[in-house]
Amino acid sequence: MAEKTPLSHYLSPRGAAVMRAELKELAQKERPRIVEIVSWAAGNGDRSENADYQYGKRRLREIDRRMRFLGKRLENAVIVDPAAQTTRDRVFFGATVTYVDEDDVEHTVTILGVDESDLVRGEVSLVSPVARALMRTRVGDVAMLQTPRGPVEIEILKIVYPVAAASSDDSHA
């Protein structure tokens, strides 16, 4: 039996690109800049009282830790393009869902990966209670959302997926 992929490994192509860009920035710009500062500070004598040296070494450890984290996440990532979703009448990874709660308040969320979701932009993690309640539902379905105040009924009003980008062959038609 095939091993099931942990939900925390799912990433959209955009989320993977953002992580790759951050990793590249850290490796090619930020880390070399800090190494230069630490090398300069190390040449200034007593390292135990040298703030530039102490801060620089701490910052290098932070950068190295973040680079390891990003590298591991990208290595294990399952990149799922929501635009390629064929079952568009149900909620899956990458869907933008509009639902209404018991107080008739409409909410719109996009379900993305753990490392790329941002509630300010209306993006929720695939493992969040909202995403768990919405998964596999259809327009018109009523689902139970587990909240700190107890279960809340929500009704799914709309499901939208990104449109696949047209290939270069289609543009000549």
Side-chain angles (χ1 to χ4, degrees), residues 18-20 22-23 26-27 59-74 115-116:
V18 167
M19 290 177 90
R20 279 190 210 98
E22 181 184 355
L23 184 58
L26 289 170
R59 182 69 184 125
L60 277 177
R61 285 191 300 274
E62 291 167 0
I63 290 169
D64 289 344
R65 187 170 30 256
R66 182 68 179 163
M67 287 174 58
R68 277 192 307 275
F69 172 82
L70 290 170
K72 199 66 151 161
R73 282 296 216 214
L74 287 167
D115 296 315
E116 62 183 320

Side-chain angles (χ1 to χ4, degrees), residues 2 5 12 33 47 51 59 67 74 90 106 129 131 136 140 147 149 153:
T5 302
S12 70
R33 186 178 68 78
R47 295 178 186 175
R59 182 69 184 125
M67 287 174 58
L74 287 167
R90 295 182 79 165
E106 268 191 33
R136 293 181 167 66
T147 72
R149 293 178 297 186
E153 276 191 2

Side-chain angles (χ1 to χ4, degrees), residues 76-122:
N76 295 322
V78 175
I79 299 174
V80 178
D81 186 355
Q85 178 58 255
T86 55
T87 310
R88 292 176 168 256
D89 66 332
R90 295 182 79 165
V91 177
F92 294 106
F93 180 86
T96 298
V97 184
T98 302
Y99 65 92
V100 63
D101 63 23
E102 293 172 342
D103 298 325
D104 283 332
V105 176
E106 268 191 33
H107 304 271
T108 300
V109 296
T110 301
I111 301 170
L112 292 175
V114 172
D115 296 315
E116 62 183 320
S117 60
D118 182 351
L119 202 50
V120 172
R121 292 189 311 244

